[in-house]
Every structure is written in C-alpha cells, then in structure tokens.
Amino acid sequence: AQSVTQLGSHVSVSEGALVLLRCNYSSSVPPYLFWYVQYPNQGLQLLLKYTTGATLVKGINGFEAEFKKSETSFHLTKPSAHMSDAAEYFCAVVTGFQKLVFGTGTRLLVSP
Amino acid sequence: DTAVSQTPKYLVTQMGNDKSIKCEQNLGHDTMYWYKQDSKKFLKIMFSYNNKELIINETVPNRFSPKSPDKAHLNLHINSLELGDSAVYFCASSQALRDQETQYFGPGTRLLVL
C-alpha cells in the first residue's frame, strides 16, 4: 500500500535560512505526490504536486520539491525562510480513487 | 468568495448528542470528501462522493452518515457523539475523480465532545 513518511515532526530555521522538509514515499506504482500547508486554525492549501513529467516541481510562495525515484523521496525546499512560512506541512500520496494518504506532518518554526 | 465552506466553524456538545456539519463548494467540482484531523494533527480520509455517489467509506463507524443532496453539498451527520469524536473535520472537493486532481479544503469544523 502506498504511504509517505515525514522525517522530523519539528524543523526550526532562522529567517533567511534554507528550508528542507523531508518526505519519503512507498509505492508499487508511479506515485502522485502532494505537499500541503496548514496555517494555524485554517484548512489545508496545496503548495505543489508531482504527477508526471518534470521531476523538479515549483509551487507557491517560493517552495519547490524534487521527485527522486531512486531515493523514493519528494523533499520540500525553499531557499530563504520567511516568518510567514511558519506552519504545519503535510506530504501526501494518492492511493487510488483519489484517496489521499497523508504523512504525520512537520511543523516549521521560523525564528527572527 | 469562499471556494469550500463549512458550518459551523466550532461545535461544542455533550456525549450522546446528534450533530450535523454542512459543507458547500462553489467550484463546480464533481467530487467531495470528508477528512478527520485528530489532536496530533493526523489527517485521515473518511468518505468521498462523486456526483452524489459514495465512492470511499473508510471503515468509519456507522454513527457517521454522510449525505450529498447535490454535487455542491456534502453534509456529515454524527449520531450518539463520543469523546473520541473530538477532532477537526475538513471537507474538500476536487474537479473529478482522477488521482492527479488537486483537492481543495475547507477551513474545518472544530468539534469538541464533553
């Protein structure tokens, strides 16, 4: 069964530093992978997704992720963190019939 | 213009009561979902509907009954509420029942059962 694992429940960075949030997937078929962001007391918003084609995917707010089949990874990066990036980030994989299976989430903390 | 809206935003109730949560989307989407987010932020799908037809029922207790009166609405009725039902419930929608489609989430309904 398809699943995702997010390494690190919390990641702390300084403003202006590189953001790296890790996601590894397990799938017997080519996966569709998603990153969602959840700001406090809000719903989830799509940051980016990988379906087919280019393995480097650019999303909103300066985020990007690279699909690496050899490493079964889909890590999320941003070159320079802003205070407004502080939120919970979820990696997810579709398992069929549009059933999204989420990772356990990573809370990003940004300090001044 | 809110794309996916849910009412109420907060719901505090006693054990044993029956309550409903409503969801509406104005995106013209065919597919709608209910997700549950527990206190540890873990998100899990409960149901999905496509064109008012139930597609996914993810081993949810039958105290939970979704109803889709039309493609734009998916309501969730919960009977005999239990303490463990306390969570945030998210409605979502997508254009079609295709795996690569983006799901758009509502703001959530925070349910607290006392």
Side-chain angles (χ1 to χ4, degrees):
Chain A
Q2 285 97 321
S3 65
V4 290
T5 302
Q6 292 183 243
L7 296 174
S9 58
H10 292 79
V11 169
S12 294
V13 300
S14 299
E15 197 172 18
L18 171 72
V19 175
L20 171 60
L21 304 182
R22 298 178 187 273
C23 175
N24 287 90
Y25 69 89
S26 171
S27 177
S28 55
V29 297
Y32 294 142
L33 294 160
F34 300 76
W35 274 101
Y36 279 86
V37 61
Q38 184 179 26
Y39 298 103
N41 296 317
Q42 293 188 28
L44 282 79
Q45 180 182 8
L46 180 75
L47 277 175
L48 49 81
K49 66 180 180 183
Y50 170 77
T51 54
T52 57
T55 56
L56 182 62
V57 181
K58 294 188 185 299
I60 62 170
N61 302 339
F63 284 94
E64 62 183 36
E66 186 169 10
F67 172 69
K68 291 188 177 180
K69 186 177 178 181
S70 61
E71 298 178 9
T72 61
S73 68
F74 190 55
H75 301 331
L76 183 70
T77 60
K78 181 173 180 177
S80 177
H82 291 184
M83 296 295 290
S84 59
D85 294 327
E88 192 89 24
Y89 291 80
F90 293 93
C91 182
V93 64
V94 169
T95 65
F97 291 105
Q98 275 215 301
K99 181 180 162 185
L100 266 179
V101 173
F102 287 89
T104 49
T106 297
R107 176 164 291 183
L108 177 64
L109 305 167
V110 183
S111 56
Chain B
D1 284 349
T2 304
V4 182
S5 59
Q6 296 179 227
T7 53
K9 192 169 182 179
Y10 299 96
L11 190 49
V12 181
T13 188
Q14 300 286 331
M15 269 176 46
N17 284 351
D18 304 338
K19 290 294 178 186
S20 291
I21 306 172
K22 295 187 176 182
C23 177
E24 177 181 2
Q25 53 95 3
N26 63 5
L27 297 167
H29 288 171
D30 287 342
T31 312
M32 296 185 73
Y33 314 79
W34 277 110
Y35 287 85
K36 179 180 179 181
Q37 185 175 45
D38 64 22
S39 58
K40 295 184 178 178
K41 299 281 188 179
F42 184 63
L43 271 156
K44 189 168 163 46
I45 191 166
M46 300 172 71
F47 302 101
S48 74
Y49 272 72
N50 187 60
N51 281 322
K52 304 194 299 174
E53 179 185 348
L54 180 66
I55 301 297
I56 293 174
N57 181 341
E58 200 56 19
T59 60
V60 177
N62 57 15
R63 297 183 296 103
F64 290 79
S65 51
K67 280 192 172 57
S68 182
D70 55 59
K71 284 197 319 182
H73 296 84
L74 180 62
N75 303 323
L76 183 65
H77 188 76
I78 315 170
N79 289 326
S80 303
L81 278 155
E82 300 177 357
L83 294 177
D85 298 332
S86 295
V88 183
Y89 292 85
F90 287 101
C91 178
S93 73
S94 64
Q95 187 164 8
L97 195 66
R98 287 189 294 264
D99 287 348
Q100 64 265 47
E101 294 289 338
T102 298
Q103 294 184 26
Y104 295 84
F105 285 76
T109 295
R110 284 146 187 83
L111 172 64
L112 178 61
V113 183
L114 301 174

